[in-house]
DNA sequence: CAAAAGTAAGTAAACGTTTGTTTACTTTTA
DNA sequence: TAAAAGTAAACAAACGTTTACTTACTTTTG
């Protein structure tokens, strides 16, 4: 039995992401992808049932999977709040700024009904997605350091600014100078931390 | 000379937005749009040069134009910081939650290279887009109430959470109960305000 | 002050391409 | 030689856009 050529599988994934990030999701076609990867269209259909299957698997397994791993590196839920937040923000910044195709697909995940649906299903089904962050926040809610809000609301308050900053980082690649760097990211992170933490509680702990 | 049928022009715009928000940008075709609007494909090409022209004009004139107006209602740059922020947040929340198609297209604007380019050009060219907010922030930077950061960074810190909350609002439409309401939006707005404002300065002003 | 002339709006049908996917066949290796 | 991997070529359907024509209204003219 002829064995699979793993290089071709990898080429399909990486070239698909490249096309999406450079030309947009609406400009990715199976034939264009096959041509760019120097294979026959049929070869894509050995690994993936159809285009939807390819996109969903690419999004969930390839992008979200590695994204999660990268963000949680050197992070653990028992960390202090400020320390943990800074770790998560820096991990997000460094991973995404070096993986533009992933960032592009994540952005598409927020608007495209197809990927949006896939994301929600994954998020609800396994419930384990970003579970350490969930636990981290719960801990600090319990001590009263941060307010008890729904998890989705915590996410909007604590992590949407860093994702927006990454978008700005990519926008500024086309401009004369880059304004988004690690120092600025940390400054912004501190502002977000200051907003959500209960100062009185913090001072009581010090006493 | 036969006059234009303005109803048909309006139908093209509103039905295009409807298709985009329900089925995604990648599922909008000129023939599908014509059929849904009960007109001939040729009629679209009387008003718009091609598909790209349609999308860009729809995005900039129809969506961004009315979005800007809605957000700046009852707002003026001389307002106090907290008061102004709350006005902007509530306007954003109320407008977007009642205009899902606009929200969808704005989200696409962040990922699709085509719309992204159109947005940047518009933003740079006229420089007047959201100018009152620009002035508002500048004023409060001058008094030292908020830190002096690039405008794009201010936007990420101050407005990305409310946009994320609107996305959550729409996600929760499919779930048993809605958790995003005006009260929660104001709570979050206060958290963001607390984060960015210089407390010491604030207290000095009081003395 | 009607009817003819002129003109842009609008239509039905089709253009050549490209789409996602499949069929029929060849290659490669256990 | 069995069997899956892979290819070249083709499929119907849908794509963006155009052609050839009709409709509906304004303006000009006898």
């Amino acid at each position: 039995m002829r064995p699979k050529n793993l290089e071709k599988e990898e080429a399909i994934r990486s070239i698909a992401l490249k096309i999406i990030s450079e030309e947009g999701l609406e400009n990715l076609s199976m034939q264009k992808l096959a041509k760019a990867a120097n294979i026959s269209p049929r070869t894509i259909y050995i690994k993936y049932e159809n285009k939807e299957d390819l996109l969903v698997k690419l999004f969930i397994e390839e992008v979200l999977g590695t994204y999660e791993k990268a963000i949680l590196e050197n992070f653990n839920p028992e960390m202090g709040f400020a320390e943990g937040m800074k770790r998560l923000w820096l991990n997000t910044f460094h991973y995404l700024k070096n993986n533009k195709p992933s960032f592009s697909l994540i952005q598409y995940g927020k608007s495209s009904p197809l990927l949006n649906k896939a994301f929600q299903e994954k998020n609800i089904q396994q419930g384990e997605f970003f579970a350490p962050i969930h636990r981290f926040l719960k801990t600090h809610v319990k001590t009263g350091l941060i307010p008890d809000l729904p998890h989705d609301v915590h996410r909007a308050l604590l992590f949407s600014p860093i994702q927006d900053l990454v978008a700005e980082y990519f926008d500024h690649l086309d401009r004369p100078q880059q304004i988004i760097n690690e120092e600025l990211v940390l400054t912004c992170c501190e502002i977000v931390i200051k907003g959500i933490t209960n100062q009185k509680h913090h001072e009581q702990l010090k006493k």
Side-chain angles (χ1 to χ4, degrees), chain A:
Chain A
M1 183 176 96
R2 184 175 176 176
K4 284 186 189 182
N5 185 334
L6 294 177
E7 280 176 29
K8 284 179 183 168
E9 290 196 359
E10 174 53 29
I12 291 172
R13 288 193 293 265
S14 63
I15 291 177
L17 285 174
K18 192 177 165 229
I19 292 176
I20 291 170
S21 84
E22 287 175 3
E23 305 176 42
L25 186 58
E26 62 269 36
N27 284 306
L28 176 75
S29 82
M30 300 300 259
Q31 299 188 105
K32 190 189 246 179
L33 171 58
K35 205 166 219 170
N38 234 323
I39 55 168
S40 158
R42 184 71 182 80
T43 306
I44 303 174
Y45 286 87
I46 293 170
K47 175 87 179 166
Y48 303 99
E49 205 178 317
N50 50 39
K51 192 183 180 183
E52 177 170 337
D53 186 45
L54 165 66
L55 288 175
V56 169
K57 282 190 174 143
L58 207 62
F59 182 51
I60 292 190
E61 290 167 20
E62 191 77 359
V63 172
L64 287 185
T66 54
Y67 178 50
E68 185 185 21
K69 260 183 209 155
I71 283 183
L72 297 178
E73 205 165 318
N74 295 321
F75 170 84
N76 86 68
E78 277 85 35
M79 276 176 158
F81 184 68
E83 187 196 4
M85 279 288 290
K86 283 177 188 170
R87 176 87 273 139
L88 293 171
W89 271 53
L90 284 179
N91 282 349
T92 302
F93 179 60
H94 290 135
Y95 174 73
L96 289 180
K97 88 172 200 183
N98 294 314
N99 292 273
K100 189 174 182 185
S102 298
F103 180 70
S104 295
L105 201 53
I106 289 169
Q107 288 292 98
Y108 270 111
K110 294 180 181 174
S111 43
S112 157
L114 169 65
L115 295 183
N116 204 321
K117 195 181 134 213
F119 182 68
Q120 276 190 33
E121 276 171 11
K122 195 73 183 177
N123 222 354
I124 291 163
Q125 261 186 35
Q126 59 183 56
E128 286 299 314
F129 226 65
F130 295 113
I133 298 180
H134 206 120
R135 234 179 310 136
F136 170 68
L137 295 175
K138 233 177 180 167
T139 305
H140 293 291
V141 165
K142 235 174 207 164
T143 68
L145 181 62
I146 61 174
D148 188 11
L149 297 167
H151 184 244
D152 292 333
V153 176
H154 274 149
R155 214 179 45 208
L157 284 169
L158 301 177
F159 302 110
S160 69
I162 177 61
Q163 298 208 3
D164 228 54
L165 287 175
V166 173
E168 293 297 338
Y169 173 85
F170 286 123
D171 278 356
H172 280 82
L173 284 182
D174 312 325
R175 301 191 198 172
Q177 66 172 8
Q178 181 58 258
I179 60 165
I180 316 287
N181 55 37
E182 188 169 313
E183 190 194 339
L184 182 68
V185 165
L186 279 176
T187 302
C188 291
C189 186
E190 277 162 12
I191 286 172
V192 168
I193 291 169
K194 184 175 146 213
I196 196 117
T197 51
N198 182 338
Q199 240 81 41
K200 285 176 188 168
H201 170 274
H202 202 65
E203 282 159 17
Q204 276 179 350
L205 276 188
K206 278 183 181 168
K207 286 174 189 171

